[in-house]
Amino acid sequence: MTLEEVGEHIARRLGARRASLQLSLADVASRCGVTLQQIHRYELGANSISAPMLWQLSRCLDVDVRYFFEGIEAAE
């Protein structure tokens, strides 16, 4: 799996978690202290998510940071 594919996987997991919590982009942005546009870019995979931001997102979305990596092994 390439680094780009890992980033795309994390982006999909972010969108899936937001949807499962029935949160809007604005809700997540507000919880995490970033703009709605930034969350949108993260979910599209247009912007990479730094390690500190991934940790912050995990806290805002009430999941362990490992959540974002689940399923990567199966995708290889």
Side-chain angles (χ1 to χ4, degrees):
M1 179 171 271
T2 66
L3 293 178
E4 184 176 306
E5 291 168 329
V6 171
E8 291 167 358
H9 179 84
I10 292 169
R12 283 191 301 274
R13 297 288 288 169
L14 172 59
R17 180 62 180 168
R18 181 178 62 80
S20 74
L21 295 174
Q22 298 181 337
L23 297 172
S24 69
L25 291 169
D27 293 334
V28 175
S30 177
R31 286 181 176 204
C32 294
V34 297
T35 65
L36 177 152
Q37 293 83 2
Q38 187 61 48
I39 297 298
H40 185 64
R41 286 191 291 261
Y42 287 153
E43 286 190 14
L44 289 176
N47 286 20
S48 296
I49 304 173
S50 68
M53 180 49 68
L54 192 59
W55 181 86
Q56 178 69 11
L57 288 165
S58 74
R59 295 294 156 274
C60 296
L61 299 174
D62 196 31
V63 290
D64 191 284
V65 73
R66 292 176 288 188
Y67 165 84
F68 296 104
F69 298 95
E70 289 173 3
I72 285 181
E73 299 82 22
E76 289 185 290

